[in-house]
Amino acid sequence: MRSGELPDWNDVFLTAALEPERWLEALDVMAKHTGATHGQLIGVGRARDIPFNLVSNFESAALQKFIDIGGGSPELNFRIAASVRHIERGQFDPLLYERHYDGVMGTLSSARYVEFCEEVDIPFGCQTNLVLDGVGLIGLATLRKRKEGRTTSAQRRVFAQAAVAARRGVRLQERMEGEQARFLAGAFEAIGVTAFVLDARGQVLALSASAEQYLLRGDIRMSNKTLDADGTPFSLRQAIDALTSEPGLHHIRLRLDLPIDKPKLFLEGFRLPARPWSLGKLPHAIVIANAPRRDRAGIAAFLTTLYGMTPAEADIAMRLYDGKSRGEIAAERSVTAETLRGQIKSLYAKAAVDNEAALMRLLAAIMS
């Protein structure tokens, strides 16, 4: 393969970072130019868990089986075992391939993953780590069918070139995801809501300026970006665990146990709607104080900030909560029934609910 035939890898992977739904397309381009059927981007460990596992041209049932057999364990997975061995030696982003896989086969505690690879026909390939940090690692790989054979040195050179650009793309997307947390905290501050923005581990990604006052007064403690405070009916740490665990809770309330000379402080936690194509750094949940109840303008701004609803969608949501019929809402807003249906469908998607009953439960947590 001549270098002139290769795509601009920066263009391929930076496009994926800016339009994350195109990651599978980017992985497929990489796979084809390295003689493989599948390209893979996988996040492993802590906030990055096995559900972050993008594989081009792969059946979803096979991805689920990978999870079911514990395929992310270095005790089973020769790819991860090879990576762990090199990380322990201080080699954090080597290019690993079949020779390295052969070297760890004898250390595996079970043949389940090896058998899985034979079943779905991905015994060969190569890989490297793109990011290795406090929330786990992000790896890039090609997965090859048996008939495609082991990787050649030329194919590994192409893969290495692609990996340089993929690393830039991943870091760009992670930074953009991190900026969303700061934007969200700032938006809450602008509407007078005290908010802590949390990641999937329950650690603080960002907080509003007013939230810092609770830390300075000692009403809420923070250690290693983890919040805690004594509360009723449970502690703040327990509440955050419920928001970030699976299946967990989507909404939770508690009262902090403060000295009697301090005013009562009630906190609420909300799990944010899940978004696909995340690399693990998007805001996952928020903990707030002084929610804007009974102030309809504040509630509308809250829905816009928390769920990304347009002002029109937030207004419609509140009218539905008031018990108004769709006909009444359409007349009051001077829109057609068809336009209203589209707006309701859109606000359902943003709030991650499937029907009006689910929307009412969500709004009750905010407006009661």
Side-chain angles (χ1 to χ4, degrees):
M1 179 182 296
R2 297 188 302 274
S3 60
E5 298 175 340
L6 296 177
D8 182 331
W9 292 116
N10 283 319
D11 182 56
V12 170
F13 286 107
L14 292 180
T15 296
L18 296 172
E19 302 176 58
E21 68 277 5
R22 297 184 66 177
W23 267 107
L24 286 175
E25 176 185 328
L27 294 171
D28 188 45
V29 171
M30 178 192 70
K32 288 178 178 177
H33 283 279
T34 56
T37 298
H38 311 289
Q40 181 185 40
L41 186 75
I42 185 169
V44 177
R46 300 185 70 184
R48 299 188 184 110
D49 211 342
I50 293 303
F52 167 22
N53 187 10
L54 307 180
V55 186
S56 62
N57 305 309
F58 214 62
E59 295 292 333
S60 58
L63 290 174
Q64 183 58 50
K65 185 169 183 179
F66 173 76
I67 297 171
D68 293 341
I69 67 170
S73 169
E75 296 182 357
L76 304 179
N77 188 320
F78 54 81
R79 293 178 164 95
I80 295 179
S83 178
V84 168
R85 173 176 287 188
H86 282 76
I87 290 171
E88 290 173 344
R89 295 171 178 170
Q91 300 169 354
F92 301 113
D93 59 353
L95 198 162
L96 307 178
Y97 55 99
E98 295 88 356
R99 176 170 64 83
H100 302 96
Y101 303 156
D102 293 342
V104 297
M105 285 293 186
T107 69
L108 303 179
S109 63
S110 167
R112 288 202 304 271
Y113 179 73
V114 176
E115 293 166 354
F116 166 80
C117 290
E118 290 297 335
E119 179 183 336
V120 298
D121 197 10
I122 53 168
F124 305 133
C126 61
Q127 67 186 69
T128 192
N129 295 330
L130 301 181
V131 175
L132 181 62
D133 59 18
V135 291
L137 68 84
I138 297 177
L140 183 74
T142 62
L143 308 177
R144 301 169 66 88
K145 294 179 178 293
R146 183 162 291 280
K147 69 178 182 181
E148 291 162 348
R150 295 181 170 229
T151 55
T152 65
S153 58
Q155 290 166 340
R156 293 194 292 273
R157 283 195 297 271
V158 173
F159 175 80
Q161 294 169 20
V164 171
R167 184 172 290 110
R168 293 193 189 105
V170 163
R171 288 175 173 167
L172 173 62
Q173 185 174 335
E174 286 201 315
R175 174 157 302 187
M176 292 171 65
E177 290 184 2
E179 287 298 325
Q180 291 190 37
R182 287 183 282 276
F183 170 80
L184 191 57
F188 278 119
E189 184 69 29
I191 63 173
V193 175
T194 298
F196 298 89
V197 184
L198 311 177
D199 65 14
R201 299 166 296 163
Q203 294 189 341
V204 175
L205 287 170
L207 67 164
S208 63
S210 55
E212 292 184 26
Q213 297 305 310
Y214 290 108
L215 300 177
L216 293 173
R217 291 197 301 264
D219 296 337
I220 296 174
R221 304 181 295 274
M222 183 166 70
S223 176
N224 297 322
K225 297 186 177 181
T226 300
L227 300 174
D228 200 5
D230 297 331
T232 302
F234 28 63
S235 70
L236 178 55
R237 178 68 259 174
Q238 290 170 325
I240 291 173
D241 287 343
L243 288 171
T244 55
S245 62
E246 293 299 339
L249 299 174
H250 285 78
H251 171 250
I252 200 162
R253 287 181 179 155
L254 69 149
R255 186 189 73 235
L256 295 193
D257 295 336
L258 300 178
I260 58 174
D261 60 332
K262 287 190 174 184
K264 292 181 180 179
L265 178 59
F266 293 87
L267 298 180
E268 292 189 73
F270 296 87
R271 184 183 297 191
L272 298 172
R275 283 175 281 180
W277 314 108
S278 169
L279 298 183
K281 299 229 173 162
L282 280 175
H284 182 82
I286 61 166
V287 172
I288 65 169
N290 61 293
R293 294 194 182 87
R294 295 178 295 278
D295 171 7
R296 296 187 73 82
I299 293 170
F302 185 83
L303 292 173
T304 298
T305 301
L306 182 57
Y307 296 106
M309 295 184 190
T310 66
E313 291 165 350
D315 178 69
I316 292 167
M318 289 188 292
R319 291 175 191 266
L320 288 170
Y321 185 76
D322 289 338
K324 293 187 176 182
S325 69
R326 298 191 180 199
E328 290 173 322
I329 296 172
E332 290 169 356
R333 293 188 53 79
S334 301
V335 298
T336 66
E338 182 178 357
T339 295
L340 181 64
R341 279 196 299 272
Q343 291 173 314
I344 291 175
K345 181 178 179 181
S346 176
L347 73 88
Y348 281 179
K350 292 176 180 179
V353 298
D354 296 324
N355 51 53
E356 189 169 325
L359 178 67
M360 293 304 101
R361 290 193 294 272
L362 180 148
L363 293 176
I366 298 170
M367 300 176 71
S368 60

